Amino acid sequence: MLSSSIKVGLWLSLAATVAAQDQDPLDDNYWQFKSRPDLYPSKLFVNTTGDGLAPGYIFMAPYQSPQQSATIYEQDGTPVWFGWGVTGGSGVHDFKVCQHNGSDHLCYFEGYQYLGYARGQTVIMDTSLRPVKTITAMNGMSAIDQHEFRVVGDSAITSIYHPERYDLSAFNITGGEGWIQNGMIQDYNMTTGELNFEWSAIEHVALSEGYVDANQSEVAGTGFSALSPWDYFHINSVDKNDEGDYLISARHTSTLYKINGQTGEIIWRCGGKLSDFQMQNGLNWSYQHDARWMSYNASTDIISFFDNASNGFNQSAEHSGGYLIKLNHEATPPTVELLQSFQAPEDLPISASQGNIQILNRDDWANSNAFLNWGSQPCVTEHAPDGTILYRAAVASDGQMNYRGYKFNIALTPYDRPALYTYAVSTNDDTTYYMSWNGATEVATWRIYGRAACDGDWTLINEAPKDGFETNFTAPGYQEFGMVEAVAANGTGLKNSTNKGVKAFVPSASLSQSCSADGCQTVDTYGISTGQEVVADTRAGCAALAVSTASTEEEQGLESTQSKAAMLGSGITSTASISVVAMLVIGLLM
C-alpha cells in the first residue's frame, strides 16, 4: 500500500493538475457563451466599415488559437457558426461555400499542420451542417494538403505534398539519398469516384526554376529525409477552366502555370525565371497565392491572384496586394499588364505567407468589389472596384493566422436543435433565458416558454428578437423548466430546443452569496466547507426523450414547424398579450 506521504503527494499533484486545467486561458480576444460554454471562437474586431459593401457573411478559419476551426461571422464581427468539435479536432483551412449537386454546400480541409503544408482530407457539408462527402488522396499518395480544395462541376481538385527520393548530389547532398517535396494535384470525379487527372510538378518543372534552395527558409526543408524534403515548388492554388485545363500557382518559383488537362504539359509560364510573357509598366510579383481565372479565350486571359511580395526572407515590394492582370497572347512578344490592384492598408505589415483575393462578382469582374484575406496578418478587407478600402476587420494578432478568407451569401438551418440555459438566483426571482442556435441564419425571433413541472402545460411567455449569436431574455417569475423556439421572419417556427425542457439553475443558499441576477461568479480556488448539509446532489429533470425509430426526418420531429402546437405537442397555453422585448447583446469590441 502507498504511504500517507505518497498519497498526499499524489493528491496534491492531481489537485494542481486539475487547478491548471480549470484556469480559463481565454481573454477578451475570444467569445464565451452561457448557452454554449464549450465554444470559444475568435472575436473579429471591425475597425473600418462604409457604404457600398457587398452583402454576405465572412468565412474564416483562424488557427493557432485555443480552438481552431471554421467560423462564419456577420459583417459586424458577431459569430454565426463555429465548427469546433464538428469539423474534427485538427486544423481547418480554406473554409468556403461551394456548389455540389447544383446547390450551396460548405467545403473545407481538415487535418494536421506541418511546416508549410498539411496532411488530411477534404469535406463537403450541406446547409444543415452535416457532412455529405469526404475526399481522400488516391493512388497511394500522401494525404491531401491544405493548399487547395476546389469544386468545379463534378470535379474535386486537391493538392498533395508528396515526399520523394531524388538524387540531389548537384545540390550538395552527396552523402546519401536526397528528398524533394513533390507538388501534385488530383482531380477527383465525385460522380464516378475515379480520378480524372493527376499532375506531378517534378515531371514538368526543373528544380532550377525555384528561388528557395534547401534549408533557406523555415518551410523549405533540408532535403535530408522524408520528414524534411526540399520543397522547391510549393504549390498553393489550382483552378480549372471549362476546357479542362488547369491554372497552378507555385510560391517557390513565383510562377503561374497553365497546364494541359490531357497531357499535363505546361502550355505557358507567367512570372518567374522562365516566363513566356513580358511584364508591362514595371509589373512585378513574388511568392504569390490564389490564382484564379476571371475570363479566358485564345487571345487573352484575365487572372486574379494575391501577391505576397515576400516569403519572409526576400521581398519584391513594400506591401502585399491583390492583382487583376491581363495576359495578351497575340502581342509580340506576349505581354502581361496590370488591370487593377487592391493594396494593403498602409499600417498592415507585409503578408509573408498565405492570403487570397476573392472577386465578389466574377461575371462582372471589372466592376466588382474585391474581398482580401491577408494570411499571416489575420486581417480581411473589402475594396471597391477602384481599390478603395470599404471594410477592415481582424482577429487578434496573438499568434493567430488565417490561410484564406471569403465572403458569401448562404442560408443555413442546422440539423441540431437550439441550445438553452436558464438561471434564477432563487425560486422567488425572475428567470433569465440564454438561447443560441449555432449556424442558423434564418432566425428572426425567439418564442419563449416555461412550465412548472414535467407534466405541466407549456406556457408561451413572450417573443423576443434574435440578438447576435446568443440572445438573453428575462422572464417574469420563476420558471422551473424552459424551452425556446426559433422563428423565421415570416413567423414560421423553425425548430425548438429540447421539448422535455431545460431545468433552471438555482444556486443553493450557500452558493447564492456569490451570485446575482446576472449569474454566479467564476472560481479558481477551493473554499472552506461551511458544514451545511447538501440537500440533494442531483438536479432532477424530466424523463429522457424516447428514441424514435421513424425513417424520415419529419417523423423524427426534425421538420420545420408550421404551428406551435404541432411542434410542442398538446397543452400549450398563451399569456394574454405578447410584446417584443428588447434584448441585451453580448458586447462586441470594435
Side-chain angles (χ1 to χ4, degrees), residues 294-295 302 324 339 359 361-369 385:
M294 294 296 105
S295 65
I302 308 297
L324 273 170
L339 297 180
I359 304 301
N361 183 0
R362 294 184 63 166
D363 294 333
D364 188 15
W365 52 264
N367 300 300
S368 172
N369 283 10

Side-chain angles (χ1 to χ4, degrees), residues 6 163 259 298 300 319 410 451 480 487 497 500 523 579 581:
I6 294 177
I259 306 299
T300 304
H319 292 283
I410 191 171
R451 68 179 177 182
E480 180 83 7
V487 182
S497 59
K500 71 175 184 177
V523 63
S579 61
V581 179

